[in-house]
Structures are given as structure tokens and as C-alpha cells.
Amino acid sequence: MTQPRELPIAGNGDVVLVRQHVRKVAVEVGLSLVDQTKVVTAASELARNALVHAGGGRVRIEIVHNGVRQGLRLAFSDEGPGIPDVQQALTEGWSTGNGLGLGLSGSRRLMDEFELVSEPGEGTVITVTKWAR
Amino acid sequence: MDRVPILKLGDILIVTIQIDLEDQSVLALQEDLADTVVATGARGLIIDITAVEIVDSFIGRMLSTIASVARMLDAQTVVVGMRPAVAITLVELGLSLGGVRTALNLEKGVALLDHVWDRARR
Amino acid sequence: MTISTTAAQRRIEDLLGSHEAQTLKRWQEISETPADELRELFLALRAAVGEGDFSDVRGLLADFSRSRARLGLPPAQTSRAVFGLKEAVYELVEADGDPEALRGYIWFSKLVDDLGLFTFETYSAAREKIIRDQAEQLLELSTPVVKLWEGIVAVPLIGTLDSARTQVVMEKLLQMLVETGSEHAVIDITGVPAVDTEVAQHLLKTVAAARLMGAECSISGISPQIAHTIVTLGIEFGDIVTKATLADALSHALQRSGVELRRESSARIAVKAERA
């Protein structure tokens, strides 16, 4: 079984590497093709988020268990400016960057669990999980 | 950085995305396509994403932008070959690819362009 | 302590070795399990008591409980089969009367308890897997995608729709569009008694996903009750094509793909395809 792994997110190329590694682990966890695609897409959004809003960060990728179910957990962390108003950031279409404002709200819909911890000036940690059906 | 080749077939430009593109390559493709439409006077543009495993909001926005830019340059854009898993994910993400025509495969994409041109002529 | 435990263990090992046939017979009587199933287990266990490595025993026990779960034998009988060995060995130790053997028996009893628990765990895991597999098979069975015409596919949905099933249908239908190159799909819900918000959302998402792929999807067979529910729930169907019957939906799809339907005077329906 793949050990938990931490990947840096420092440039555009890293976003691609994160996608590829997340895909590999999603297959190992036994996610359906559609769920694999959802997880990889969410990972891509969140990795780009860390890059655009915090100038970079890292992601921890691990396999988690809940009884007989297996899941994939991704924790994106950065030391960026943080998110002053989490509620607002999760609102569809709300964006500070030049995106469509779908990054956070969209990723939340693509995953089973979504947790956002942020302190202004301290950075942000976003933890998302998808369980195999 | 990887650059995506653009093929020309009569009035139509065909782009097949084969690899996992990084954002810079996506932006480069966007520019290359606009330049090529102008340089060749193409009236149709087909983007084949049969091999693409994920479309996130960045690539989705690129597709919409290309379609809008091409329309200003008098070319119609068709995105073909989107996989079911990708389509389901895009819907869940909340991306509708407004203004982008789609077809199941390359052949149907060409037929769609013919159809659109036909209607325009009438 | 370690030394005396080992001595006690060796005593048990000796007893098991010297009274093989007798113990096996008693075990078989107590547990009401065929001897051939127990013999291999017994031999592996005897060897394991000597070597201290129980991986072989666990492997055999796992097979044992899995095959019983598959046969549908009750879990109590399965664990009793293992626990029965305690009684058989106790009789042996009692007859022997050696205090060392008695000390060994306490150790052995705990060992059998552990093995019994392991058996039960494997048994329920196997049962759970069977249930999961069956649920999956049911899901597959209950969602056929049929071809109505060249370029038109349909899914007739029957029974209560839950979120998981609707999702499976959605994926299967979209996959079918790709495989058959069909540009039209019909989801027929004539046989669906009711829909809730979540299911209605899934249907809407399917239609949206089909559009993204370059296909059109209509929904047919909406009963008055379901139409009422959908309106009451405030779900927007927007510009999605909905038809009362599957026939209407088919006729709509045919029309859209350029097929012209004409009823001749002899009341036979002739179909003339005009490919654009």
C-alpha cells in the first residue's frame, strides 16, 4: 500500500504532478472511474488555489479507513494570507483571483468531506476526503 | 513546456489534446489557436478531448474563451469526445461551458460544423 | 515464567501428538463438523503449537469460515466448530492429570478463543462481501440501456430510485452514448412511483452531462404525481425536453435526427429515413 506522501506545490508543473499522483492513489483505493475523475479534478482546483492565492504550498495524500471502507484524503496547506471570510469564499462565483470562483465551492461538491481551516495571516488548510462506494 | 499541434483540414482547424496539460501550455494553446485562425482564415475549429482525463475550471474556461475569441474571428468551435466521467464531473463542478458547441466524436463534430454553415447560408 | 509456559506448551503439544486420533474424534463429535474438514486444521494447529507460528492455522481458518459463509451455514455453528476443540483437549488434560498440562491448557484455551474470534471475524467479513456483491449485481441488473433506433438509446427505469442507482444509470447511459455514437437518449420513468429532490437533481445532471458530450437527452413517462412533486419541490427543469410517454419521446428524437414518420392509408406505419 502506498504510504502517505507529501508533494510540494510551487509551480504549474507541480499541479500536473499532484493530479497524476492523486489519480494513482485513487485507483489503488478502488474509486470508480467517475469518482477518480472527481477527486483528480478537485485536487487540480485546490492545488491551483494554493498556487494562485498563497504563492504555493503542499499537499498530503493518504489512504484512510472507516470500517471496511477505504477512502482517499488530501490535505492542502499553505502559509498564504489566509481567508478572512470562509463563508464568502465558499460561495459560488465568488473569486479574488481571475478564476470563475468555482475552485472551493466546486471542489466541495466533488468530494464527500470538506474541511477548511484558515487564520488571516497564518495560512489555510483544506482537507477533503472521498470514500470508495 | 509542451505545445499542442494544430492541424488544418480544408476550412477546419483540428486540435487533439493528448497529454495532461499544465496551465502555461493551456494559455499558449489559447493564443496559438487565435493566431492560426487569423493566419489560415479557418471557419471551423474542432478541439478533440477524447484523451483528456480531467477538465477542471481552468481548462473549461480556456474552452469557453477559445470559442468566444474564435466566434469574433468568424470561426465556429466544436469540442468533441468528452468522456462521460469528465462530463459528470464538470456538471458537479458547476461548469456549463456556455457558448461551446459539443459533439460525441470528431466525425460528428465535422458534420455539426457543416450543418451550422448550411443553416448560415440559407 | 516464560520457561514454564514453554514447558506447559510442550506438554500440550505432546498430548495432541500422542492422542491425535482420539482428540480428533472427540472434536468432531462435539463440533458436529466432518472429520476431513477438521483433520487438516488439527495437524496445522499441532505443528503451530510446536513452532509458535500460527499463520498457517489462520490461513486454513480463513478458508474454513469463508466457505461456510458462502454455504450460508449459521455463524454460531462455525465458531462452535472451533471452540469445540477446547472441550476435546480439556478431556485429554483431565485424564492426564499432570499439573503442567493443566497450566498448558489455560494457555491453549486462550489461544483457541483468539482463533475462534478470528474465525468469526473472517466469517462476517465474507458475509458482508457477499451482500455487497449482490447489491452491486442487483444494481447492474436493474438498469438496462436499450437501443431504440440507430442513434437513439433509452433507459426504462422501474422501481424506486435512490441516489446510488440513479448515479449508476447516469454513468451507464452516458457510456452507452459514446459506445454507440448515439446523439439522443431517453430516460423513461414510467415505472418510477416517486422521485425526491436528490433523484430529480441526478436526472437533471445526467441531461446536462449528455449535453456537454454533444448528445440530447429527454425524459419521458412523468406521471402527474411526479410532475406535481417536481413543481412543489421547486426543481427547475428549464429547457429539458419532457414527454408524457416513451413513444412521444421516441418520435421527438426521430424527428430531431431527421427521420420522417408517415402513417399510410392502410394504417401501417412506414418509416422513411432522410439522412441529412
Side-chain angles (χ1 to χ4, degrees), chain C:
Chain C
M1 185 64 198
T2 325
I3 296 164
S4 73
T5 310
T6 319
Q9 284 178 19
R10 201 167 301 128
R11 189 77 192 94
I12 293 289
E13 188 196 352
D14 289 346
L15 277 176
L16 289 179
S18 54
H19 297 79
E20 184 183 322
Q22 184 198 336
T23 320
L24 199 53
K25 187 161 168 290
R26 274 305 287 152
W27 187 14
Q28 181 201 337
E29 281 165 14
I30 295 162
S31 63
E32 293 164 7
T33 307
D36 46 338
E37 276 187 63
L38 295 181
R39 182 167 295 115
E40 204 183 351
L41 255 177
F42 182 84
L43 293 177
L45 185 66
R46 204 186 67 196
V49 168
E51 293 158 8
D53 173 18
F54 288 89
S55 51
D56 279 359
V57 179
R58 281 170 183 270
L60 282 173
L61 274 177
D63 290 346
F64 177 73
S65 37
R66 254 183 241 122
S67 67
R68 296 188 143 243
R70 249 179 254 125
L71 289 172
L73 292 172
Q77 200 195 336
T78 306
S79 31
R80 202 182 309 131
V82 178
F83 290 128
L85 181 60
K86 276 209 292 197
E87 209 174 320
V89 173
Y90 182 70
E91 285 169 13
L92 209 65
V93 170
E94 204 181 25
D96 188 65
D98 179 1
E100 196 70 47
L102 218 60
R103 206 171 300 139
Y105 177 72
I106 291 171
W107 166 82
F108 183 76
S109 162
K110 198 175 158 303
L111 171 74
V112 174
D113 284 349
D114 282 350
L115 292 177
L117 279 178
F118 171 77
T119 311
F120 192 72
E121 250 170 39
T122 327
Y123 178 90
S124 48
R127 281 294 273 263
E128 255 165 48
K129 189 177 180 305
I130 292 170
I131 294 168
R132 264 207 313 277
D133 288 352
Q134 281 172 347
E136 223 162 82
Q137 282 166 8
L138 212 62
L139 220 51
E140 288 287 312
L141 274 181
S142 57
T143 53
V145 180
V146 293
K147 181 176 168 182
L148 292 184
W149 199 269
E150 188 62 48
I152 306 172
V153 293
V155 261
L157 294 176
I158 293 162
T160 311
L161 283 181
D162 60 14
S163 183
R165 190 171 158 218
T166 318
Q167 237 163 314
V168 170
V169 174
M170 176 169 167
E171 291 172 28
K172 223 170 141 182
L173 178 66
L174 297 179
Q175 191 55 44
M176 193 74 171
L177 291 176
V178 177
E179 279 166 18
T180 60
S182 301
E183 286 177 313
H184 297 271
V186 182
I187 302 174
D188 182 70
I189 58 170
T190 309
V192 177
V195 295
D196 58 12
T197 317
E198 209 176 342
V199 170
Q201 292 293 356
H202 276 306
L203 291 177
L204 293 181
K205 284 178 191 166
T206 311
V207 176
R211 272 190 192 158
L212 281 177
M213 292 167 56
E216 252 193 81
C217 189
S218 52
I219 300 175
S220 72
I222 300 178
S223 67
Q225 292 94 317
I226 288 184
H228 195 82
T229 317
I230 288 172
V231 172
T232 313
L233 290 173
I235 300 161
E236 278 293 332
F237 262 54
D239 54 349
I240 291 171
V241 178
T242 51
K243 296 282 172 191
T245 65
L246 180 56
D248 291 341
L250 173 61
S251 142
H252 169 81
L254 285 171
Q255 212 172 19
R256 295 281 309 196
S257 51
V259 177
E260 196 182 297
L261 283 170
R262 196 151 43 89
R263 195 185 292 273
E264 287 196 350
S265 50
S266 62
R268 229 183 46 224
I269 295 175
V271 180
K272 192 174 137 212
E274 282 183 352
R275 287 254 146 228

Side-chain angles (χ1 to χ4, degrees), chain B:
Chain B
M1 191 179 70
D2 301 297
R3 282 194 112 87
V4 181
I6 303 171
L7 307 176
K8 185 173 177 298
L9 191 77
D11 265 357
I12 305 174
L13 297 180
I14 299 173
V15 179
T16 304
I17 302 177
Q18 303 265 19
I19 48 158
D20 196 351
L21 290 179
E22 62 176 82
D23 295 359
Q24 292 307 321
S25 310
V26 171
L27 293 175
L29 175 62
Q30 206 168 301
E31 279 170 29
D32 285 356
L33 270 174
D35 291 349
T36 318
V37 168
V38 173
T40 58
R43 297 177 53 227
L45 179 57
I46 294 181
I47 305 173
D48 183 359
I49 57 168
T50 308
V52 173
E53 290 181 332
I54 73 145
V55 172
D56 58 11
S57 61
F58 194 84
I59 300 175
R61 187 160 47 123
M62 181 264 301
L63 295 175
S64 288
T65 308
I66 288 178
S68 304
V69 170
R71 201 174 303 121
M72 284 175 130
L73 302 170
D74 196 25
Q76 301 293 329
T77 305
V78 184
V79 171
V80 305
M82 186 185 292
R83 298 181 178 192
V86 171
I88 292 171
T89 303
L90 274 182
V91 171
E92 206 76 54
L93 194 62
L95 216 59
S96 56
L97 296 192
V100 180
R101 288 173 206 273
T102 53
L104 284 174
N105 51 44
L106 190 56
E107 202 182 338
K108 290 194 193 292
V110 174
L112 180 61
L113 280 178
D114 280 340
H115 185 69
V116 171
W117 289 332
D118 240 23
R119 245 194 344 213
R121 229 171 281 139
R122 260 182 235 157

